[in-house]
Amino acid sequence: MRLFFASWPPAAAAEALSRWAEGARQGCGGRATPRERIHLTLAFLGEADAHAAKRLAQAIRLPRCGFLLEQSRYWAHNRIVWVGPAETPPALAALAAALGERERFAAHVTLLRKARKPRALPALPALDWPVGEFTLVSSVPGPQGPTYEVLGRYALQ
Ligand code: 2AM
């Protein structure tokens, strides 16, 4: 199973980000992440055992954290537009590391895929993204993009 650990935004932030992505799309095309699929990946496990991932998640004892959406960027190498904090807060990086993220963790929320390089991106709404819990998610590829199934929810302290 293709698994990852993620944080979902508050509904109002997801709504605001979805509107922002529609605005950005006017300038650079691409496919916007549907509102209900907007998330921050904390650790990408790939093909992994769900039982082992659940055990790992249950053992986590880390404090609640969060971040501010402070920048929007375009990554040419994978043609995505993303938003995220100016710098990954250490508590968020610690959570990602505890959840098994092996790459250097750079908190980013993908909002457009297959986009062209934008001349400019719209101003970001000032948004706070609290991380009071995290989820274990299974991603199943499909013709309309992946379907995400939440396999577990885990509270931070
Ligand atoms: P992305 O949004 O930046 O593409 C489910 O696919 C989630 O896992 C997405 O958030 C995706 O990030 C991330 N993901 C997919 N493949 C990945 C990989 N090889 N390494 C890290 N993250 C990956």
Side-chain angles (χ1 to χ4, degrees):
M1 248 200 269
R2 194 169 194 225
L3 302 178
F4 61 102
F5 285 113
S7 163
W8 252 259
E15 188 60 47
L17 288 176
S18 184
R19 276 199 302 272
W20 184 90
E22 265 318 306
R25 205 168 68 83
Q26 309 299 316
C28 60
R31 239 180 332 107
T33 306
R35 183 183 44 73
E36 67 282 0
R37 253 187 261 158
I38 294 176
H39 67 278
L40 168 74
T41 297
L42 290 164
F44 181 74
L45 307 181
E47 294 295 326
D49 175 49
H51 292 295
K54 286 179 182 174
R55 276 198 301 276
L56 172 70
Q58 280 158 0
I60 300 282
R61 299 282 180 275
L62 286 172
R64 294 166 162 268
C65 53
F67 59 96
L68 296 173
L69 293 167
E70 294 163 322
Q71 63 168 339
S72 56
R73 301 279 293 275
Y74 176 70
W75 272 341
H77 68 280
N78 53 4
R79 299 175 61 206
I80 67 167
V81 172
W82 61 271
V83 298
E87 280 180 30
T88 299
L92 200 60
L95 177 59
L99 291 173
E101 181 57 53
R102 290 194 199 93
E103 310 285 322
R104 199 185 144 273
F105 178 66
H108 71 278
V109 178
T110 302
L111 292 181
L112 291 176
R113 292 176 200 280
K114 300 200 166 116
R116 297 184 301 271
K117 183 174 169 40
R119 280 216 192 105
L121 288 167
L124 258 189
L127 287 171
D128 184 12
W129 182 314
V131 182
E133 64 166 24
F134 62 89
T135 52
L136 173 63
V137 187
S138 142
S139 170
V140 182
Q144 320 293 349
T147 305
Y148 294 155
E149 188 191 351
V150 174
L151 304 181
R153 278 179 198 286
Y154 308 90
L156 293 166
Q157 294 183 322

